[in-house]
Structures are given as C-alpha cells and as structure tokens.
Amino acid sequence: MKNKILNIAYSCNEAYIAHTGISILSLLQNNTHFEEINIYFIHIDVAQSSLEKLQKLVSSDNRILHLIPFDKICGNLNISEIGRHTETVYAKLFFGNIKGVDRIFYIDSDTVIQGPLDDAWDMDLKNCYFGLVKTMTRDSNELLGLSKEATVYNDGVAMVNAKLLREDAMEEKFLAFIDRFNGKPPVLSEGTINVVCNGKIATMHPKFNFSPIFYMGSNKKLFKILKSKTYFTNKELSEARENPIIIHYLSGWFLRPWEKNCTHPLKDRYLYYKSASPWAHVPLQDKKLTKSAKRMKLGFKYIPVWLFHLLRDIKQRLN
C-alpha cells in the first residue's frame, strides 16, 4: 500500500502562535496513522523563539515543519485594511506558489482537531479549487454581489487544490479582485474565494469546520434562520453535532476558550491540549461579552425567528 501523506497549512503572526501550536498538537495526536505529515507554516512577524518551539513540537512527533515567510509566497499581495485580522488570512490564495505541493489542507489557528482527517483529505475536489464548509451567514450574498440562491462558504478550514490554482493562474484573478476594491475586498480572503471561485468550490462536511453557531439552536431553528434550500441536510448537521472533527472557536456569543469567561460547550477540548502543550503556562485572557453581543445571543436563543430577523434588520439599517 502506498504511504499516506498529509499536507497541512497554518498561517499566523506572533499573536496567534500559541493557538497555532495547540491546534497542531491536537492534529498530531489524532492523526498518528498517517505515514507522513508535512506542516507548512506561513508566518509573519513571529519571534524566532516561537518558531523554534513549533519546530520542536513537530519534530518530537517525527513530522516535518516547513517554515515559509509570508512574503515568499504572497509577495504580490497589496491590501489596504484588514480590521482585526492579519495579512496571513490571505495566505491560502497563494498556495499554488508552494513548490512540490499539489494538495494541501489549510486550518485556522483557533481550532482543535479531535479526530482523523482522512475523509476531508480524501475528498474528491474534481475540477474545484477549494473544498469548504458552507457558512451560516445571511448577509454575505448581497455584500459579495452573489445571487440569494448562491452558496457562500467559510474559508477557515479549506482543502486546497494547489495544482489547479497554479495551472489556472488563479493568483492573478485573486489579485485583480482585491485591487478592484482598492486592497479591501468584502469579507477579505473569504469573499475573494467565494466570488472568484464561484461554481468551483466543493462542499465539505460540517464536522470539519464546526462553529459556535451550531450550539445556538436546533437544526430546525437553524434552517428557519437561514431560509436556505442549499444548506446542509438534517442528517449532516446531526452527524457534525455528534462527532465534530475540527472545532472552530470563532469569536461570537461564547467567547473563546483562552478567555476566562468562555462558555463554549467544547472549551475543555482546547484547555486539554493547551495543558499538554509548550504554552500550558500562558494565562487565560480577561474578556467579557459586549452588551450588544449579549442582547443578540439572548434574542437568537429565546425570541421567535421572524422577530429576531426584524430587529436585526432594523439595527443594521440604523447603523
């Protein structure tokens, strides 16, 4: 049998290095059956001591860490504003520039992997550039100029067809889209992918990008909120709830597990891997939900869906 090789990518700056390391540790512990695991870390403004810590973590598991400075593959990127994010969110657009890699699995740093990645790694991308999980948002379609029926995807976890990106010179198309918005495309890299690759994105099972929104209501309620016929089936959502493989700790109504007041139902999974990592000593951060977030959380959970939408739309108009 041919050796099974897994190519993984992360990208971040120093602010997220601990979360990246904790995610990598969880990945390694739950995917020991792969003959080879190559981790490509695209970094910007990361301390040498942090890079050495990552190197030690990966090599201690007899895996390979490839350190790639952000500018080495993303040197043509010209962005003007990124808000609370860093430039590294755009790294996945340029994976075609990683030599010798035809297929690579990108994972955001704010994640924990608690199971094998085989099903995602083996997914048939066919002639698609990315394999992504559908997003829950109702606002992105209009913002991106897509039809109401178009499926919009989250790019925090992505199977990337680097070979096809290279062959179709997609870098030029991504850069042209970003330039069209003077370096500030709507929804950053996620918006860029959804527009430029529209029609050539394969759908990944939601268990590989399990976000906090799934805990805000039953499957039935989520369907009502989305008003979408293209979202996941009841069976797929139930499978993801029962066995989430990649837990994505997006900011929102639970806070995050590295914050003291986090109420995420799966925060203990992050804390478990943190305690076993070189970042076990890093203290949890002080943070509380904003009043606006608290109101939205309570509204989402307790008031009728139609009234939630009405109040939310009024709030957006006033803003």
Side-chain angles (χ1 to χ4, degrees):
M1 182 182 292
K2 186 178 179 181
N3 289 350
K4 195 163 187 179
I5 301 172
L6 177 64
N7 295 323
I8 296 288
Y10 287 87
S11 61
C12 76
N13 61 5
E14 180 67 25
Y16 263 71
I17 196 67
H19 311 313
T20 300
I22 292 164
S23 182
I24 289 174
L25 176 62
S26 68
L27 167 95
L28 295 176
Q29 289 192 3
N30 290 291
N31 287 275
T32 58
H33 58 290
F34 279 92
E35 293 290 337
E36 292 182 37
I37 298 180
N38 296 299
I39 298 176
Y40 295 82
F41 178 52
I42 296 90
H43 57 91
I44 187 169
D45 298 330
V46 175
Q48 183 61 34
S49 59
S50 294
L51 294 177
E52 291 171 359
K53 197 176 288 188
L54 274 187
Q55 185 72 67
K56 185 176 180 180
L57 172 67
V58 175
S59 60
S60 67
D61 205 61
N62 295 316
R63 306 306 191 175
I64 300 172
L65 179 67
H66 303 266
L67 298 174
I68 304 176
F70 180 78
D71 286 343
K72 186 173 181 179
I73 64 168
C74 311
N76 293 323
L77 179 64
N78 182 22
I79 52 177
S80 59
E81 187 177 336
I82 50 175
R84 64 182 177 85
H85 299 276
T86 68
E87 297 95 325
T88 57
V89 299
Y90 288 96
K92 63 185 75 70
L93 305 181
F94 302 91
F95 285 171
N97 293 332
I98 302 177
K99 293 181 179 180
V101 172
D102 289 342
R103 184 182 180 93
I104 191 165
F105 194 17
Y106 169 82
I107 304 174
D108 267 357
S109 300
D110 53 347
T111 56
V112 158
I113 294 87
Q114 59 170 13
L117 297 178
D118 301 71
D119 287 349
W121 181 245
D122 293 336
M123 73 179 292
D124 187 1
L125 290 176
K126 298 180 181 176
N127 65 335
C128 293
Y129 299 113
F130 293 91
L132 304 171
V133 171
K134 300 171 187 176
T135 186
M136 290 290 298
T137 181
R138 297 175 66 247
D139 306 320
S140 293
N141 293 58
E142 183 176 353
L143 191 63
L144 296 172
L146 298 172
S147 69
K148 291 182 179 180
E149 294 74 30
T151 299
V152 178
Y153 295 87
N154 178 277
D155 74 340
V157 175
M159 264 303 310
V160 185
N161 191 340
K163 183 174 184 286
L164 192 60
L165 289 180
R166 211 161 32 237
E167 291 175 347
D168 289 357
M170 291 303 293
E171 176 178 341
E172 296 177 12
K173 297 173 185 177
F174 292 142
L175 292 173
F177 180 80
I178 293 168
D179 288 344
R180 207 169 91 203
F181 293 92
N182 298 314
K184 188 187 175 183
V187 206
L188 308 178
S189 61
E190 185 170 297
T192 304
I193 290 172
N194 273 283
V195 174
V196 178
C197 300
N198 185 26
K200 299 196 75 172
I201 301 174
T203 299
M204 189 187 297
H205 195 288
K207 67 182 178 181
F208 292 110
N209 190 350
F210 193 75
S211 64
I213 192 69
F214 290 110
Y215 286 115
M216 288 308 298
S218 64
N219 291 354
K220 183 178 180 181
K221 185 168 186 177
L222 295 181
F223 288 134
K224 285 184 179 179
I225 290 165
L226 281 171
K227 298 180 180 177
S228 171
K229 296 180 180 179
T230 63
Y231 199 58
F232 295 104
T233 65
N234 187 67
K235 179 175 181 291
E236 289 169 326
L237 288 181
S238 296
E239 289 172 347
R241 289 177 188 274
E242 292 167 9
N243 183 32
I245 301 299
I246 299 181
I247 306 167
H248 195 175
Y249 298 105
L250 291 167
S251 60
W253 299 331
F254 295 109
L255 294 180
R256 289 164 147 179
W258 53 87
E259 296 163 343
K260 290 180 181 178
N261 297 298
C262 175
T263 58
H264 193 292
L266 296 177
K267 70 175 183 179
D268 288 346
R269 300 310 300 157
Y270 175 90
L271 296 176
Y272 168 80
Y273 290 107
K274 178 181 184 296
S275 68
S277 78
W279 296 272
H281 66 284
V282 176
L284 300 181
Q285 301 170 10
D286 283 312
K287 189 172 182 180
K288 295 181 179 179
L289 278 180
T290 63
K291 290 181 180 179
S292 175
K294 287 180 180 178
R295 287 195 296 268
M296 286 289 288
K297 180 179 180 179
L298 290 171
F300 190 98
K301 194 168 185 178
Y302 293 113
I303 69 174
V305 171
W306 68 267
L307 182 56
F308 175 83
H309 283 321
L310 176 62
L311 294 174
R312 186 164 175 264
D313 290 344
I314 291 172
K315 181 178 181 293
Q316 287 177 341
R317 291 193 190 100
L318 291 175
N319 291 339

